[in-house]
Amino acid sequence: MDYLTNIGPPPPYSSHEVPTTTTTTTTTPPLPQRPSQRTSDYDICIQTVPVPILNLPTLIPSAPSFAIQPQDTEASMFALIQEACKHQKGCQLKMKQYKLPLIIYQSWAGRSCQLINRREGMIVHGSLIAHDSIRLQNCRGNIMIEGSIVAGKNIDIKVTRGQLITQGICLLAKDTLWIEASHNPLQLQSMLEAKRIYFKLKKAPLILSQVTLISYLEIRATKSSVEIYIVDFKNCSGKIKIIASHAPVRVYLSRQFSGHFLIEAKRNVGTFIDHTHTGEIRYKRADKHHLEGTFKHGKVAKHSIHIKTSCAPAFIHIV
């Protein structure tokens, strides 16, 4: 006897209904034949989810006048900050959601921007440009910006148990850039530039591919490895401070660096390496965990870098 001969496809049901199951008990039935699993044998039930769509008169057209030119990074960043200065009397963008995707389909420019979401993704198909400040926050969801983030004052980004993904040319703020991340790796290939840059990390390994140091960079990392590349120094007194625990730290400095360095690697080794072989290194090592000295190259400068780690090594490379 074939028990599956007269069984039709299951009735469709919505995600809010629980299908009932009928169980028939028989004595030692024969093994049934494997049913056909072709998609044509079953009905398909699709449930749509409402997604908020932003449509504001201040949206920038798809081909703005400040479009990014990869071959000229410096000129493009200058054009972006000039665009931000135009919107002193522009509108404010504020959106706060919960368990719904937050999607902006074009670039936006205005006076200030605040986007907050929880338990769903946040996507901007373009750039965010504000005359004042930009604040982005997401908990248990990713933040993805396909363009640049530019603010005339401050940028504040916080992502908890999610990823921050930027695909534009830069994260650029005139005053402060603050980024806080936890429980997910953070890798930024966009250029970072601000007068003061702060990172606070917890179980979030960090890789920064391009950082322009103007005045101050501080990174505090808990159980998060740190790897950063300082590609440019905008003045002669930039300072770098990194405090990390239970994970290694690697800092790559351009040969513009000239000044004081201090590595405190508790229970491990600190190392300073000049790959250019063009500078002059003078240092003293109190013990294998403590390395302090100066590096001179080219014009006189007063840069400084201080790295403090526990239970992991620390490295400074001049490239």
Side-chain angles (χ1 to χ4, degrees):
M1 180 183 295
D2 191 344
Y3 283 88
L4 302 177
T5 303
N6 298 321
I7 297 178
Y13 58 93
S14 68
S15 60
H16 300 288
E17 299 174 353
V18 180
T20 58
T21 304
T22 304
T23 306
T24 304
T25 305
T26 57
T27 56
T28 62
L31 294 175
Q33 301 295 321
R34 183 177 182 180
S36 172
Q37 295 183 352
R38 295 177 301 173
T39 57
S40 59
D41 292 342
Y42 300 93
D43 296 331
I44 300 176
C45 180
I46 301 176
Q47 183 182 6
T48 60
V49 178
V51 177
I53 298 176
L54 180 68
N55 186 12
L56 297 175
T58 54
L59 288 176
I60 299 170
S62 56
S65 59
F66 56 89
I68 295 171
Q69 303 295 329
Q71 69 272 18
D72 195 351
T73 304
E74 191 69 26
S76 299
M77 292 173 65
F78 178 78
L80 286 167
I81 201 66
Q82 289 294 105
E83 181 68 25
C85 294
K86 297 178 183 178
H87 297 276
Q88 181 177 1
K89 298 182 180 180
C91 72
Q92 299 183 52
L93 173 59
K94 291 185 177 182
M95 298 184 70
K96 187 175 182 179
Q97 292 192 154
Y98 179 67
K99 289 188 177 180
L100 280 177
L102 196 161
I103 303 176
I104 299 178
Y105 287 93
Q106 301 181 59
S107 295
W108 178 89
R111 184 152 54 97
S112 63
C113 174
Q114 179 176 297
L115 304 178
I116 300 175
N117 204 7
R118 292 188 65 187
R119 296 184 179 272
E120 267 294 352
M122 179 189 301
I123 303 175
V124 178
H125 296 290
S127 299
L128 294 175
I129 300 177
H131 179 272
D132 292 341
S133 299
I134 294 176
R135 181 188 177 196
L136 307 177
Q137 183 175 328
N138 203 351
C139 180
R140 298 182 183 272
N142 297 336
I143 298 177
M144 181 175 180
I145 311 297
E146 294 183 355
S148 297
I149 306 175
V150 181
K153 292 183 179 178
N154 306 317
I155 296 175
D156 186 346
I157 302 175
K158 182 177 181 180
V159 55
T160 305
R161 297 185 182 274
Q163 287 189 319
L164 172 62
I165 304 168
T166 62
Q167 299 177 345
I169 194 171
C170 64
L171 278 73
L172 176 60
K174 277 193 172 182
D175 291 337
T176 303
L177 171 61
W178 173 277
I179 297 179
E180 185 174 346
S182 67
H183 297 86
N184 254 317
L186 178 58
Q187 182 173 355
L188 299 177
Q189 296 184 348
S190 303
M191 176 71 76
L192 273 62
E193 182 175 321
K195 188 175 181 180
R196 294 174 296 275
I197 301 176
Y198 298 91
F199 279 86
K200 185 178 180 181
L201 310 167
K202 182 178 180 181
K203 297 182 180 179
L206 176 68
I207 298 179
L208 302 179
S209 299
Q210 303 179 82
V211 179
T212 296
L213 184 64
I214 297 179
S215 178
Y216 186 70
L217 167 64
E218 179 177 308
I219 299 175
R220 294 181 179 269
T222 303
K223 297 183 179 180
S224 307
S225 60
V226 175
E227 182 177 329
I228 63 174
Y229 296 80
I230 309 296
V231 297
D232 192 15
F233 291 85
K234 284 294 182 71
N235 62 42
C236 297
S237 58
K239 296 182 178 181
I240 302 171
K241 184 177 182 180
I242 301 174
I243 301 176
S245 64
H246 299 86
V249 174
R250 287 185 180 271
V251 179
Y252 295 84
L253 303 173
S254 73
R255 62 183 63 187
Q256 294 172 290
F257 177 85
S258 182
H260 178 263
F261 62 88
L262 171 61
I263 302 176
E264 297 176 273
K266 186 178 179 181
R267 299 181 183 177
N268 226 297
V269 179
T271 307
F272 187 99
I273 305 173
D274 177 18
H275 295 275
T276 65
H277 303 290
T278 58
E280 179 184 354
I281 304 176
R282 295 181 178 180
Y283 66 89
K284 57 182 180 180
R285 184 187 290 274
D287 52 51
K288 67 178 182 179
H289 310 304
H290 187 102
L291 180 64
E292 183 177 5
T294 59
F295 176 80
K296 293 183 178 181
H297 178 270
K299 63 181 181 180
V300 178
K302 296 182 180 180
H303 302 136
S304 67
I305 178 169
H306 179 197
I307 301 176
K308 187 175 182 179
T309 67
S310 63
C311 305
F315 303 88
I316 298 177
H317 301 263
I318 303 293
V319 293

